[in-house]
Amino acid sequence: MTLLVAGLAAAPAPAAARDFEIEDLFRIRRITDPQLSPDGRRLLYVETDVQKEENANTSSLWIVPAEGGDPHRLTRSAKHDTHPRWSPDGRWIAFESDRDGKPQVWLISADGGESRRLTSISTGASQPVWSADGRRIAFVSAVYSEFSGKPFAASDALNRERLDAREKSKVKARVMTELLYRHWDSWTDGLRQHLFVVSFGDGIAGEPRDVTPGDRDAVPTSNTFDGGDEFAFTPDGRALVHTAEPVPARIDAWSTNLDILSEDLGTGGTTPLTTNPAADGLPRFSPDGRTLAYRAQSVPGYEADRWQLWVLDLASGTRRSLTGDLDASVDSIAWAPDGRSIYIVVAEKAASAVWAVPLDGGPPSKAWWGGSVDSLGVSPDGEWLYFTRDTLMAPKEVVRLRKGSSELAPVTRANAGTMGQVEMARPESVTVPGEGGAPVQMWIIKPPHFEPGRKYPLVFLVHGGPQGAWEDGWSFRWNPELWAAQGYVVATPNPRGSTGFGQKFTEEISRDWGGRIFVDLMDCLAWLEKQPYVDPDRMAAAGASFGGYMMNWFQGHTDKFKALVTHDGTYNFDSMYGSTDELWFTEWETGVPWETPDFDKFSPHRYAANFKTPDLIIHNELDFRVPIGEGEQLFTTLQRKGIPSKYLSFPDEGHWVLKPQNSELWHRTVFDWLATYLKNQGRPPASP
């Protein structure tokens, strides 16, 4: 066993700081999508603020000097201004906004002033991307494909007519003839994600043109394969490359096959740039336009396969992997300005790492490790890396790192005031031998004002995925620091299936959901029970998605816990297969019912006779990934068996609970449930 303290976290708060509380989740400003200006002098970002009374969030655009300083608010919409992108000359900023209802592309001068709407398409417009010469903008719109071959004015009118008719009709029935008819928390309603291009000059836009007509989606329909902007203009502006299904066939419910296609904007012809039977994506052109970098998986049907960094020489057509020897999965790609190397972000040992990968095939070098990194960018002179970074102790801010340095410099300090008032517990990282002696990393967060010699109740959190990880990163939904502030020792283990510990470790969860990972978790729990600060008679467990599944597996296989919290967990493999949206996940992880003899071997419902632990079930009506019937079946079983149980369901939430007042109720319900069994010997907490 090894023990270390999580490094590079926020400095300890002053002694007078107060404990972290639920309300702080709504005070914190959420910083995302930093974009460095073409001259490298300014940085644009999105700030999302919680409007708790309205049970909603608002997002606006801000600009700050690239070296840090006082930020300037650029837009003041009461809705959502997102996805800002600089024009190549730095004069304009295109962004997505729903301020007038349906999302459209808007435009604002980089020096400020009034925003103006650039598109008015009936089906909405999102994700603007500029051409290199600044004369065109591409965007995404979900349209009825049967109208897409017509001139824009005619097709847009027909789309509008159908949308209006559906809205006005008193009959709200749907007729489905194919999968994927719903996704995550929304019905697809027969719409296809198409790419449009609009000309631009002197602040004026021309008429949009659908450059991917037909019965197909032109961008990934699953966020599993969406690494950012999944389309880009070629440097000469003659074509648009994008990540999409290789053929216009509705197979994306059970296939992960995505290729990078090139749409000739002159002839309208489509050319495949990749033909890999697994997933390719995230196309990024080199500064000289001669090389296309992208990421690719090699195993069809497997969402958690390792993403490798590939490069395609556009003149010769030759391609090669630059990270074949790096046992890590590529999340982000950013070219160095000289075109001699590519920066990537990967998950590594419960944190993020930034690597510089030479184009000539030399060994990668690590530029940074620590915290959770996103939105990687490089300054025009190549001397600075810019990215967002968060930790278990601090929410996202934009930072920069000088080439060759090991010290981060802050660019934004949006949450310095709020976080400066709060005392956070410094996480500890331990490594425990799991099944077969495999090392299993686990974070431990002790309560604020921790007293050595005292025994504390334990809350054991299991992450989702299952190919995911508890990283040194911030969360607004499952925040271990907030749980620890309730007076608990919180443990977040990374057992089999966790990412960032090598691909083999990740793969050892598939078709084995209740096997080695269960042993890993029980080994971690046994280690915790021996710690002098843990009370083994007061332990609870909680988890969401796969973590919720594991709570259901715990029900039938251990009596170690006084209480469980099951959020959106699979209960019955048979019903899950027949009602989930993305079949490729279920088919890879558990099999096909009529083809796999032991399909339901690890299905929790088979072990209901052993259930005995009090359980809080949370399952939402718009969850199409793990449909609500899974939670209803579990609750029915527990009630019929006379086991103390409570069922919380939100009609307006999907797999996650996102609305502020809903989140507040979620947290209070969970914390009251835990207090009932860990602090009050089964008695509900007294009303405030």
Side-chain angles (χ1 to χ4, degrees):
M1 185 276 294
T2 59
L3 172 66
L4 58 96
V5 176
L8 302 168
R18 58 177 175 77
D19 291 350
F20 193 38
E21 59 188 24
I22 297 173
E23 196 65 28
D24 287 319
L25 294 177
F26 312 127
R27 297 184 179 113
I28 292 170
R29 299 172 176 180
R30 307 178 185 193
I31 307 301
T32 56
D33 206 5
Q35 300 290 319
L36 195 63
S37 62
D39 62 8
R41 299 174 60 186
R42 293 181 290 178
L43 187 128
L44 176 68
Y45 62 93
V46 177
E47 178 182 306
T48 299
D49 299 306
V50 173
Q51 308 299 322
K52 187 179 172 186
E53 293 303 314
E54 288 75 32
N55 201 26
N57 300 324
T58 61
S59 301
S60 54
L61 308 186
W62 291 69
I63 289 182
V64 66
E67 67 274 12
D70 294 330
H72 166 69
R73 186 171 181 174
L74 192 64
T75 66
R76 295 183 177 274
S77 167
K79 294 292 185 68
H80 304 94
D81 296 342
T82 60
H83 201 85
R85 296 295 182 267
W86 295 90
S87 64
D89 61 8
R91 294 177 55 201
W92 302 97
I93 295 165
F95 62 98
E96 174 186 337
S97 180
D98 62 351
R99 59 181 67 188
D100 284 351
K102 196 178 291 292
Q104 299 288 349
V105 176
W106 288 68
L107 194 72
I108 190 170
S109 168
D111 296 323
E114 292 296 321
S115 303
R116 50 181 160 155
R117 191 167 60 185
L118 199 67
T119 65
S120 299
I121 185 169
S122 64
T123 48
S126 62
Q127 299 176 254
V129 169
W130 293 86
S131 62
D133 61 7
R135 299 174 61 183
R136 291 174 175 175
I137 297 174
F139 61 86
V140 178
S141 187
V143 301
Y144 291 107
S145 60
E146 57 265 42
F147 306 140
S148 60
K150 300 178 181 295
F152 174 75
S155 65
D156 193 51
L158 289 167
N159 275 295
R160 187 186 305 276
E161 181 180 337
R162 180 169 299 182
L163 290 170
D164 288 347
R166 183 173 185 84
E167 178 68 23
K168 294 174 182 177
S169 175
K170 292 182 172 57
V171 177
K172 301 302 180 184
R174 292 180 170 91
V175 177
M176 282 75 71
T177 59
E178 59 187 9
L179 305 176
L180 208 59
Y181 57 84
R182 59 180 186 174
H183 199 213
W184 280 115
D185 61 359
S186 303
W187 295 84
T188 60
D189 289 332
L191 295 165
R192 293 289 207 169
Q193 300 279 343
H194 281 195
L195 286 170
F196 287 73
V197 171
V198 61
S199 60
F200 177 83
D202 297 324
I204 301 172
E207 185 175 82
R209 179 163 63 99
D210 187 340
V211 298
T212 57
D215 188 20
R216 59 170 173 160
D217 286 297
V219 291
T221 55
S222 172
N223 61 354
T224 301
F225 304 105
D226 187 350
D229 291 336
E230 289 286 349
F231 54 98
F233 285 93
T234 55
D236 61 12
R238 295 180 179 178
L240 189 71
V241 300
H242 61 108
T243 304
E245 296 173 6
V247 293
R250 197 67 169 182
I251 62 172
D252 50 346
W254 60 88
S255 170
T256 63
N257 188 8
L258 294 168
D259 286 338
I260 298 175
L261 309 179
S262 178
E263 307 294 340
D264 190 306
L265 299 180
T267 67
T270 302
T271 303
L273 299 181
T274 67
T275 56
N276 171 30
D280 305 320
L282 207 61
R284 296 290 183 268
F285 286 99
S286 61
D288 63 10
R290 297 176 181 177
T291 306
L292 180 70
Y294 63 98
R295 63 176 190 164
Q297 297 181 324
S298 58
V299 181
Y302 183 27
E303 67 155 341
D305 188 31
R306 178 168 63 115
W307 289 99
Q308 296 185 47
L309 174 65
W310 285 75
V311 288
L312 168 65
D313 183 286
L314 295 168
S316 66
T318 59
R319 66 192 73 240
R320 54 198 170 93
S321 171
L322 299 183
T323 59
D325 295 329
L326 183 64
D327 193 9
S329 192
V330 175
D331 291 328
S332 301
I333 299 172
W335 281 91
D338 62 8
R340 298 171 62 183
S341 60
I342 303 170
Y343 291 97
I344 60 173
V345 177
V346 303
E348 185 176 304
K349 297 179 180 177
S352 293
V354 180
W355 289 80
V357 183
L359 188 62
D360 64 9
S365 60
K366 191 179 298 185
W368 177 257
W369 178 87
S372 182
V373 170
D374 198 5
S375 302
L376 181 65
V378 189
S379 64
D381 61 7
E383 286 299 307
W384 293 92
L385 294 177
Y386 288 80
F387 46 85
T388 59
R389 178 177 177 272
D390 53 292
T391 68
L392 282 160
M393 297 176 69
K396 281 187 194 308
E397 297 282 3
V398 183
V399 297
R400 65 178 187 159
L401 176 71
R402 184 184 288 275
K403 186 177 180 179
S405 174
S406 60
E407 295 186 10
L408 296 178
V411 177
T412 64
R413 300 176 181 268
N415 294 296
T418 297
M419 299 309 296
Q421 302 172 12
V422 177
E423 179 169 353
M424 307 295 279
R426 188 175 292 277
E428 300 172 4
S429 176
V430 302
T431 300
V432 176
E435 191 274 340
V440 177
Q441 187 273 343
M442 176 169 59
W443 295 105
I444 297 174
I445 302 94
K446 297 173 182 175
H449 319 294
F450 176 79
E451 300 175 15
R454 177 182 169 188
K455 286 187 178 292
Y456 290 85
L458 170 76
V459 178
F460 192 68
L461 300 181
V462 180
H463 66 66
Q467 294 89 356
W470 291 113
E471 293 187 352
D472 183 14
W474 188 264
S475 174
F476 288 99
R477 297 191 301 271
W478 289 73
N479 190 299
E481 291 279 355
L482 180 59
W483 290 55
Q486 311 309 306
Y488 306 121
V489 170
V490 177
T492 61
N494 283 314
R496 292 312 207 291
S498 298
T499 52
F501 301 91
Q503 187 62 23
K504 180 177 181 294
F505 194 80
T506 299
E507 292 173 352
E508 288 180 335
I509 178 65
S510 298
R511 304 287 177 102
D512 192 43
W513 278 25
R516 282 170 291 193
I517 182 174
F518 177 69
V519 177
D520 287 348
L521 292 170
M522 291 296 101
D523 287 342
C524 288
L525 189 67
W527 183 91
L528 288 161
E529 289 180 286
K530 296 176 183 177
Q531 303 312 301
Y533 51 83
V534 170
D535 184 347
D537 293 325
R538 291 188 296 160
M539 301 191 302
S545 198
F546 175 82
Y549 159 84
M550 186 51 67
M551 297 306 105
N552 299 340
W553 190 252
F554 284 170
Q555 272 284 10
H557 292 82
T558 180
D559 58 2
K560 289 281 189 180
F561 301 109
K562 295 296 183 183
L564 300 172
V565 178
T566 299
H567 179 115
D568 294 348
T570 299
Y571 175 71
N572 184 327
F573 279 13
D574 289 291
S575 57
M576 172 70 177
Y577 179 87
S579 56
T580 190
D581 53 356
E582 293 180 344
L583 281 177
W584 42 260
F585 171 78
T586 299
E587 292 186 356
W588 184 272
E589 292 299 321
T590 60
V592 179
W594 55 90
E595 296 177 357
T596 310
D598 58 350
F599 173 78
D600 64 350
K601 174 182 177 181
F602 293 112
S603 183
H605 84 282
R606 293 186 58 190
Y607 303 91
N610 300 332
F611 288 9
K612 60 177 68 71
T613 307
D615 203 337
L616 168 64
I617 301 102
I618 305 168
H619 223 115
N620 305 318
E621 294 184 22
L622 297 181
D623 187 355
F624 301 152
R625 177 55 40 84
V626 183
I628 193 170
E630 299 300 301
E632 293 171 338
Q633 291 177 71
L634 173 62
F635 184 59
T636 296
T637 301
L638 294 169
Q639 287 284 304
R640 185 66 179 83
K641 288 175 63 67
I643 299 169
S645 48
K646 181 183 290 188
Y647 181 27
L648 172 64
S649 180
F650 295 94
D652 55 347
E653 299 281 8
H655 203 55
W656 304 280
V657 176
L658 302 178
K659 296 181 179 178
Q661 291 183 28
N662 293 355
S663 174
E664 181 180 39
L665 175 60
W666 185 96
H667 280 92
R668 296 197 185 283
T669 303
V670 169
F671 292 158
D672 283 351
W673 182 258
L674 294 175
T676 296
Y677 293 96
L678 299 185
K679 297 179 179 180
N680 303 324
Q681 291 77 51
R683 297 186 301 273
S687 299

